[in-house]
């Protein structure tokens, strides 16, 4: 069989090890997964209630236009319904954008390191990928501007950035937008938007009135605790949406996801509580890092990237044997780091205790 040349040898996405597999392999009774930036507190109770009411509708195709959810989200973010496109997670919206705008004679610009799906989908379309090194985990927007030419179709701004957790502030983002050619699509991927604490984080939705080349990505997978349901969306002007919609599969999001997302939006108190618990969790890790003089990347997300000064795989293996699944920085572009999802207060305390014991054994000097 002959496949596209660009997919030959392309690595498949490797998710973190499942909890049950780790239990079997290491003969552990309890394993805690803090690797995929999921919400440790799950979803609003309203989500389960909404899904249970649809249990007898499995034989019926979902509304391909997601009309009810579309109207709900439009009202929530204050845009028109025709300014939205829905995907099987925001990952699929990324795929749709690449399929719509990229060809083998075009290029796309990303930061490096950043979310891997931008590059993967661009490569599949045969486009050139121009990766611009970040500065201490933050997008170098000036260098990204320099990488744009007449063949550039998409520029990706992962904000906050995964895997570093850092962000581009409002002043920098507005300055960047003003300089990007108006025929180049700027993608502001805001998967962790609900966790942001910075007062100068860009408020991007109002910018849609000024910039016709901007699209904003959001998801229900993170703070809303609905990763299993796979529902995300893009917000842009109606012209961009009209170009992307024909590329979208007709029934790409499910009836259950629609109902769950509507219910989730109705429970903003739950999101507020998750936000507050996440702030407390970040503080636990920051205190740990300061105690042992460990560099960490200031985060606007529900994870912290910590530089231990050794191969990230070593940290991963150590914690795995203790029953904690995290992400090694080796696969994320930060080889001496580990990325740890913020869990419950107890989960955070447990992993910090294990790491503290490990550092004490290695005679890493603590402060205080």
């Amino acid at each position: 069989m002959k496949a596209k040349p660009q997919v030959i040898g392309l690595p498949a996405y490797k998710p973190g090890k499942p909890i049950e597999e780790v239990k079997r392999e290491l003969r552990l009774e309890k394993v805690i997964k803090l690797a995929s930036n999921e919400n440790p507190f799950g979803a609003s109770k309203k989500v389960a209630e909404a899904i249970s009411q649809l249990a007898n509708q499995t034989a019926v195709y979902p509304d391909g236009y997601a009309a009810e959810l579309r109207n709900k989200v439009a009202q929530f973010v204050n845009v028109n319904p025709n300014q939205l496109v829905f995907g099987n997670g925001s990952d699929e919206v990324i795929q749709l954008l690449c399929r719509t705008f990229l060809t083998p004679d075009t290029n796309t610009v990303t930061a490096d390191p950043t979310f891997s799906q931008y590059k993967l989908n661009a490569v599949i379309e045969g486009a050139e990928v121009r990766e611009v090194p970040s500065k201490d985990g933050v997008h170098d927007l000036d260098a990204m501007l320099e990488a744009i030419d007449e063949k550039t179709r998409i520029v990706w701004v992962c904000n906050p950035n995964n895997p570093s957790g850092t962000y581009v502030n409002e002043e920098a983002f507005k300055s960047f937008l003003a300089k990007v050619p108006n025929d180049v699509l700027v993608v502001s991927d805001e998967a962790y938007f609900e966790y942001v604490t910075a007062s100068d984080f860009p408020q991007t939705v109002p910018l849609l009135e000024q910039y016709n080349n901007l699209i904003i990505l959001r998801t229900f997978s993170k703070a809303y605790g609905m990763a299993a349901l796979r529902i995300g969306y893009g917000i842009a002007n109606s012209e961009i949406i009209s170009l992307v919609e024909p590329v979208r599969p007709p029934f790409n999001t499910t009836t259950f996801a629609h109902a769950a997302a509507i219910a989730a939006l109705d429970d903003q108190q739950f999101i507020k509580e998750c936000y507050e618990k996440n702030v407390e969790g970040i503080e636990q890790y920051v205190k740990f890092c300061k105690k042992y003089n460990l560099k960490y990347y200031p985060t606007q997300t529900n994870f912290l990237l910590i530089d231990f000064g050794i191969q990230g795989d070593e940290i991963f293996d150590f914690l795995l044997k203790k029953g904690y699944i995290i992400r090694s920085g080796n696969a994320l572009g930060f080889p001496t780091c580990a990325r740890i999802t913020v869990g419950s207060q107890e989960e955070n305390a447990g992993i910090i205790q294990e790491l503290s014991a490990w550092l004490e054994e290695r005679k890493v000097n603590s402060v205080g």
Side-chain angles (χ1 to χ4, degrees):
M1 304 298 292
K2 294 184 178 181
K4 287 181 177 180
Q6 57 264 35
V7 304
I8 304 299
L10 196 64
Y13 177 75
K14 294 182 179 180
K17 282 194 171 187
I19 291 175
E20 294 306 317
E21 181 181 332
V22 174
K23 284 182 178 179
R24 287 194 302 271
E25 284 184 5
L26 300 179
R27 298 180 181 178
L28 296 170
E29 291 186 5
K30 184 179 180 181
V31 172
I32 296 170
K33 183 185 176 188
L34 298 172
S36 300
N37 309 332
E38 296 146 329
N39 187 339
F41 308 106
S44 163
K45 292 180 179 178
K46 293 183 178 182
V47 167
E49 293 169 2
I51 294 172
S52 65
Q53 293 175 11
L54 299 171
N56 63 346
Q57 295 190 26
T58 58
V60 181
Y61 281 113
D63 172 12
Y65 191 62
E68 190 176 357
L69 175 59
R70 181 179 297 273
N71 290 329
K72 185 73 175 182
V73 172
Q75 183 180 28
F76 184 75
V77 300
N78 195 29
V79 297
N80 293 320
N82 64 359
Q83 289 182 259
L84 298 169
V85 60
F86 290 89
N88 192 252
S90 55
D91 287 21
E92 187 183 34
V93 182
I94 293 168
Q95 182 186 58
L96 298 178
L97 293 175
C98 289
R99 187 169 294 176
T100 301
F101 295 103
L102 299 181
T103 59
D105 62 346
T106 63
N107 69 66
T108 185
V109 177
T110 79
D112 180 39
T114 193
F115 188 46
S116 62
Q117 295 303 295
Y118 312 142
K119 180 178 181 178
L120 175 70
N121 284 288
V123 168
I124 291 171
E125 298 303 325
E128 177 192 356
V129 181
R130 297 183 173 181
E131 297 177 277
V132 178
S134 297
K135 290 184 176 180
D136 207 24
V138 181
H139 287 41
D140 185 346
L141 296 183
D142 290 336
M144 290 174 71
L145 278 170
E146 292 179 7
I148 296 172
D149 64 16
E150 68 279 0
K151 293 186 176 181
T152 305
R153 295 294 177 268
I154 304 176
V155 179
W156 306 89
V157 181
C158 189
N159 205 24
N161 189 37
N162 180 12
S164 63
T166 54
Y167 76 107
V168 170
N169 66 35
E170 186 165 36
E171 181 181 359
F173 186 73
K174 283 184 175 180
S175 175
F176 177 73
L177 263 181
K179 296 171 185 174
V180 173
N182 59 17
D183 62 345
V184 175
L185 184 67
V186 177
V187 182
S188 181
D189 187 350
E190 302 174 3
Y192 299 90
F193 177 77
E194 292 78 13
Y195 288 116
V196 169
T197 61
S199 60
D200 61 347
F201 187 83
Q203 296 302 310
T204 47
V205 173
L207 295 175
L208 294 172
E209 295 183 10
Q210 185 177 354
Y211 296 100
N212 290 330
N213 60 331
L214 172 65
I215 184 167
I216 303 153
L217 306 187
R218 302 271 175 88
T219 184
F220 287 93
S221 294
K222 303 303 180 185
Y224 285 96
M226 291 167 44
L229 290 170
R230 312 305 301 127
I231 185 80
Y233 58 97
I235 318 166
N237 72 71
S238 58
E239 182 181 350
I240 290 176
I241 300 300
S242 68
L243 293 171
V244 177
E245 274 290 338
V247 180
R248 181 182 60 80
F251 303 109
N252 63 323
T253 56
T254 69
T255 300
F256 306 100
H258 298 172
I262 290 169
L265 287 173
D266 279 336
D267 194 354
Q268 290 303 305
Q269 180 60 32
F270 173 79
I271 297 299
K272 181 175 181 291
E273 291 170 1
C274 291
Y275 169 90
E276 291 170 349
K277 291 175 183 176
N278 188 69
V279 170
E280 293 171 358
I282 293 293
E283 289 176 354
Q284 284 179 275
Y285 284 107
V286 168
K287 184 178 179 181
F288 158 75
C289 291
K290 289 180 177 179
K291 179 179 180 180
Y292 291 98
N293 288 310
L294 297 172
K295 176 183 176 180
Y296 64 93
Y297 291 80
T299 185
Q300 295 294 319
T301 65
N302 68 332
F303 61 81
L304 195 67
L305 186 69
I306 304 173
D307 192 340
F308 288 89
I310 63 170
Q311 286 298 301
D313 287 351
E314 188 174 338
I315 300 293
F316 172 85
D317 290 337
F318 167 76
L319 288 174
L320 191 65
K321 292 172 184 175
K322 300 295 182 178
Y324 293 95
I325 306 173
I326 62 159
R327 282 298 299 272
S328 165
N330 285 77
L332 303 174
F334 293 90
T336 60
C337 295
R339 192 190 70 186
I340 304 174
T341 302
V342 175
S344 67
Q345 190 173 46
E346 294 74 24
E347 290 169 344
N348 300 333
I351 200 170
I352 288 171
Q353 182 178 356
E354 295 293 352
L355 286 169
S356 297
W358 182 81
L359 289 168
E360 296 288 352
E361 187 177 332
R362 293 173 66 94
K363 295 182 172 52
V364 173
N365 293 326
S366 62
V367 178

